[in-house]
C-alpha cells in the first residue's frame, strides 16, 4: 500500500509543479524505474495507475517481465545497452529504448530489427555531465550522431535522454537547460525518422529541476519504491 501512496503523492506533486509552471496542459510521462524491485512491487505500482516502467539490465528484465500479470502500456529500457543483448531486449518489445549512445549500437539495432521487419522508438542518451563513468554521446557530438542514426530506417528517434548529476540537484540545472536547447535545435532540423517528442530527464532527487527546465518524461525509482537494495538483484 505504501507504493500506491507514493504514486499518488508523486502524481499530485508533478501536477502542482506543472500548474505553477503554466504547463498543466502538457502530457508528462512518468516512467517508474523498477530495477532491483521485485515483481510484486511492479504489479502494485501498475495497479496504482502507473502504466510505464523501466529497467536498466536486460537480464533482469528477461527474468521479471514474463512474471508480470497486470497489464501495462510500455516497458522502457533505460540502461547501457550491449550489442550481445540486443536480441533479448527486442524480444521484450520495449516501447522505448532511452539509452542509444553510439552510432555502433544504433547500427546493431537496425540490423536486428531489419531481420524481423520491425521498427523501434529510441531516445539518444546524452552525457551532459561529461563524466567518464556515464554513458551517452557527448554534447558536442550529439547532432552529428543524431544525423547519422537518423539514416537507419528501422529506428525512430523520439527525443533525448540524460542523467543529471548525482550530487545537489541545482548543479544539473544549467545542464538540463542545455539539453532543452539541444532538443529544440534538433527539432528545428526536421530530420527524417526524427520526431522530437520526449525529453527524458529527471529522477527522484532532481525531477523538480528537470520539470522547471522543460523535461516531459521523468524516470523515478526510489521515490516510489523506497531505497534500493542491490543485493536483491538476481
Ligand atoms: C535508477 C535509474 C533512475 C531512477 O533513479 P531514482 O534515483 O531511484 O529515481 C533513472 N534513470 C536511470 C537511467 C536509472 O538507472
Amino acid at each position: 500500500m505504501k507504493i500506491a501512496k507514493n504514486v499518488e503523492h508523486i502524481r499530485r506533486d508533478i501536477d502542482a509543479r506543472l500548474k505553477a509552471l503554466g504547463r498543466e496542459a502538457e502530457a508528462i510521462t512518468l516512467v517508474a524505474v523498477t530495477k532491483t524491485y521485485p515483481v510484486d512491487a511492479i504489479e502494485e505500482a501498475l495497479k496504482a495507475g502507473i502504466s510505464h516502467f523501466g529497467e536498466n539490465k536486460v537480464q533482469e528484465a528477461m527474468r521479471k517481465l514474463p512474471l508480470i500479470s497486470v497489464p501495462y502500456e510500455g516497458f522502457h529500457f533505460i540502461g547501457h545497452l550491449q550489442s550481445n543483448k540486443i536480441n533479448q531486449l527486442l524480444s521484450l518489445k520495449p516501447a522505448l529504448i532511452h539509452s542509444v549512445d553510439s552510432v555502433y549500437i544504433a547500427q546493431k539495432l537496425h540490423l536486428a530489427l531489419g531481420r524481423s521487419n520491425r521498427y523501434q522508438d529510441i531516445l539518444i542518451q546524452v552525457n551532459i555531465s561529461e563524466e567518464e563513468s556515464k554513458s551517452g554521446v557527448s554534447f558536442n557530438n550529439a547532432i552529428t550522431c543524431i544525423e547519422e542514426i537518423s539514416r537507419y530506417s528501422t529506428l525512430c528517434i523520439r527525443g533525448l535522454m540524460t542523467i543529471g548529476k548525482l550530487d545537489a540537484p541545482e548543479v544539473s540545472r544549467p545542464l538540463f537547460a542545455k539539453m532543452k536547447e539541444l532538443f529544440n535545435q534538433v527539432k528545428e532540423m526536421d530530420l527524417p525518422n526524427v520526431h522530437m517528442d520526449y525529453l527524458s530527464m529527471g529522477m527522484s532527487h532532481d525531477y523538480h529541476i528537470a520539470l522547471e527546465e522543460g523535461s516531459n518524461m521523468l524516470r523515478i525509482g526510489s521515490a516510489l519504491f523506497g531505497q534500493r537494495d542491490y543485493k536483491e538483484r538476481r
Side-chain angles (χ1 to χ4, degrees):
M1 284 302 103
K2 187 78 169 68
I3 294 170
K5 268 217 176 77
N6 291 344
V7 170
E8 169 85 13
H9 172 79
I10 297 269
R11 282 233 189 267
R12 275 180 204 274
D13 187 47
I14 292 170
D15 286 349
R17 283 169 193 275
L18 287 175
K19 195 151 187 232
L21 294 166
R23 296 180 58 195
E24 63 266 45
E26 286 179 50
I28 301 285
T29 308
L30 172 57
V31 180
V33 176
T34 52
K35 66 187 186 207
T36 75
Y37 303 111
V39 169
D40 51 346
I42 305 177
E43 291 178 333
E44 197 175 331
L46 294 172
K47 284 182 198 154
I50 289 290
S51 46
H52 295 263
F53 71 96
E55 289 280 342
N56 74 335
K57 299 266 191 240
V58 174
Q59 242 30 280
E60 187 178 347
M62 287 292 286
R63 176 174 59 79
K64 282 152 74 175
L65 261 67
L67 303 175
I68 300 174
S69 61
V70 181
Y72 54 84
E73 233 169 89
F75 158 62
H76 296 235
F77 187 72
I78 62 172
H80 180 65
L81 182 54
Q82 290 166 308
S83 57
N84 60 353
K85 300 278 165 56
I86 283 177
N87 288 329
Q88 283 187 315
L89 176 60
L90 292 178
S91 76
L92 297 172
K93 305 227 164 13
L96 189 60
I97 301 175
H98 291 226
S99 42
V100 174
D101 59 0
S102 66
V103 176
Y104 172 78
I105 205 74
Q107 185 196 24
K108 293 283 179 190
L109 272 170
H110 174 66
L111 293 173
L113 289 158
R115 281 194 289 270
S116 45
N117 249 317
R118 281 171 56 186
Y119 295 89
Q120 178 66 51
D121 283 349
I122 61 168
L123 303 180
I124 304 300
Q125 181 174 353
V126 181
N127 183 357
I128 47 172
S129 63
E130 311 275 343
E131 284 165 28
E132 292 281 334
S133 60
K134 288 203 186 119
S135 344
V137 302
S138 74
F139 214 86
N140 293 334
N141 285 334
I143 298 229
T144 315
C145 192
I146 290 166
E147 281 175 325
E148 288 187 35
I149 294 175
S150 71
R151 297 202 202 105
Y152 296 123
S153 56
T154 59
L155 299 175
C156 182
I157 299 177
R158 301 292 303 271
L160 305 176
M161 181 272 237
T162 198
I163 301 176
K165 293 218 178 214
L166 295 177
D167 32 327
E170 277 297 337
V171 176
S172 293
R173 186 188 293 282
L175 303 171
F176 286 161
K178 261 177 86 176
M179 277 295 286
K180 177 70 178 182
E181 264 175 50
L182 176 64
F183 180 86
N184 288 338
Q185 199 183 340
V186 177
K187 195 172 200 163
E188 272 166 30
M189 292 171 74
D190 211 13
L191 296 164
N193 303 319
V194 179
H195 298 272
M196 297 302 278
D197 298 314
Y198 303 119
L199 181 52
S200 169
M201 59 185 191
M203 313 186 355
S204 294
H205 74 295
D206 60 9
Y207 75 89
H208 295 165
I209 310 278
L211 279 179
E212 284 164 16
E213 299 305 327
S215 162
N216 64 8
M217 188 172 266
L218 305 174
R219 308 178 310 270
I220 298 187
S222 48
L224 292 173
F225 300 104
Q227 281 293 47
R228 263 187 299 275
D229 182 355
Y230 285 94
K231 289 198 296 294
E232 288 296 308
R233 175 179 266 169
R234 273 156 292 164

